[in-house]
Amino acid sequence: CIARALLKKPKILILDDSTSAVDTQTDAMIRKAFAEEIPGTTKLIIAQRVASVQEADMIVILYLLTLASVTLIVGSAASGSPFAGVGLSREMVAMISYELPLVLVLLTVGRVCGNGLATFSLAKIGAYQAQNGVLLLDPVLWPAAIAMLFVIPCEVGQQPFDIDEAETEICEGVLAEYSGRPLAQFKMMHNVKMYVMSGLFCALFLNVQTGFFLADLLLYCVNCTLVTFVSMSLPHAVTARFRVEQVFKFYWTIVTGLAAISLVLVWIGL
């Protein structure tokens, strides 16, 4: 089946655990053949081995971020509180709002760094920026970078997009019935998402590499701090909380529009 796929060179290739019966060395050879023989084919891979999907780590990050939100929704539903029920519905609205622009930003950056084909490998994105400079200096990607900065506070649940908690309206909403260790775990998840989203922005747009580990680490920490300040601390200080319908409208019009502008410009080769 794999041999026939290589000969036909399809536009889309779906592989459902197709290399589970081979050893790791043969699996690596098959993946290399895919990259060399059908580079223009979109591949949808279902696999048990991490190595089989190691070049799609952006998809893994997107999945894990969604898993955190789903966990929050399930936890609030289990509490049985009416305040948590309202917060649950608001969290679902927030997820629907920011997921589309986030995917468009990832597609835009992947298209730029994939040499005409979208790549979802953070390693390849980092290597591209090491050779060509950080993507934040490219004016074509400025709308996507701005969109990503808007996505971060809603993904994290930071004011003015903390509609699922809104302590002055629904008494912490999704967390209304939690205290002690369970509450600490949810708060820890919030802080981890804040770090991951700031780091993801730096990996996509500000992947500065000097070749020295300590210097790279220091630059990474400084850049993450600046991104956190611009995307979360500054809006929290100057903007009141959005209403639910405002969040949805804002992300599906302005933020999605910004991400789409960069994606279209990149796709037509500007």
Side-chain angles (χ1 to χ4, degrees):
C1 294
I2 294 177
R4 288 199 298 269
L6 290 173
L7 290 172
K8 192 174 181 181
K9 301 185 186 301
K11 293 184 178 180
I12 299 176
L13 179 63
I14 301 176
L15 301 171
D16 186 1
D17 209 11
S18 56
T19 59
S20 60
V22 303
D23 57 76
T24 54
Q25 184 176 1
T26 305
D27 180 49
M29 294 173 63
I30 293 173
R31 287 187 283 108
K32 182 179 179 181
F34 284 154
E36 294 177 351
E37 300 296 331
I38 49 174
T41 298
T42 299
K43 307 169 190 70
L44 304 178
I45 302 175
I46 303 170
Q48 299 179 19
R49 294 192 183 101
V50 176
S52 299
V53 291
Q54 63 183 359
E55 293 189 354
D57 41 11
M58 277 204 305
I59 302 299
V60 175
I61 292 174
L62 186 63
Y63 167 78
L64 292 177
L65 289 172
T66 303
L67 183 63
S69 298
V70 172
T71 301
L72 187 62
I73 290 172
V74 173
S76 61
S79 68
S81 168
F83 293 115
V86 176
L88 180 156
S89 62
R90 292 186 174 192
E91 176 66 20
M92 294 177 67
V93 170
M95 284 182 61
I96 296 172
S97 301
Y98 64 71
E99 287 292 343
L100 177 59
L102 177 57
V103 170
L104 293 180
V105 169
L106 296 181
L107 284 174
T108 302
V109 175
R111 177 75 176 185
V112 171
C113 301
N115 295 321
L117 299 171
T119 179
F120 297 102
S121 170
L122 289 176
K124 289 185 177 180
I125 293 173
Y128 179 90
Q129 294 184 75
Q131 294 179 358
N132 302 280
V134 295
L135 296 182
L136 194 61
L137 299 179
D138 186 352
V140 173
L141 295 178
W142 287 351
I146 295 172
M148 187 66 182
L149 289 174
F150 279 124
V151 166
I152 292 174
C154 194
E155 174 77 64
V156 175
Q158 187 74 19
Q159 189 175 330
F161 304 109
D162 57 336
I163 57 175
D164 60 329
E165 297 182 18
E167 64 276 2
T168 58
E169 301 172 22
I170 52 175
C171 303
E172 290 288 344
V174 291
L175 303 178
E177 297 297 325
Y178 285 92
S179 62
R181 185 177 299 175
L183 179 61
Q185 291 175 340
F186 280 118
K187 292 296 184 181
M188 179 67 71
M189 181 180 69
H190 171 88
N191 293 329
V192 170
K193 287 177 70 175
M194 183 184 302
Y195 172 79
V196 170
M197 289 303 297
S198 298
L200 181 59
F201 181 92
C202 293
L204 295 177
F205 296 99
L206 278 173
N207 201 325
V208 182
Q209 298 181 25
T210 64
F212 299 97
F213 174 76
L214 291 179
D216 290 345
L217 180 61
L218 179 61
L219 286 172
Y220 175 79
C221 293
V222 171
N223 288 337
C224 283
T225 302
L226 291 175
V227 170
T228 301
F229 173 78
V230 172
S231 65
M232 287 180 274
S233 299
L234 188 60
H236 178 83
V238 302
T239 309
R241 182 183 298 111
F242 279 33
R243 297 197 304 270
V244 179
E245 67 275 10
Q246 290 176 326
V247 170
F248 185 82
K249 183 178 180 181
F250 176 71
Y251 277 91
W252 274 64
T253 55
I254 297 177
V255 181
T256 299
L258 287 170
I261 288 172
S262 286
L263 181 60
V264 170
L265 292 177
V266 167
W267 219 269
I268 62 178
L270 295 180

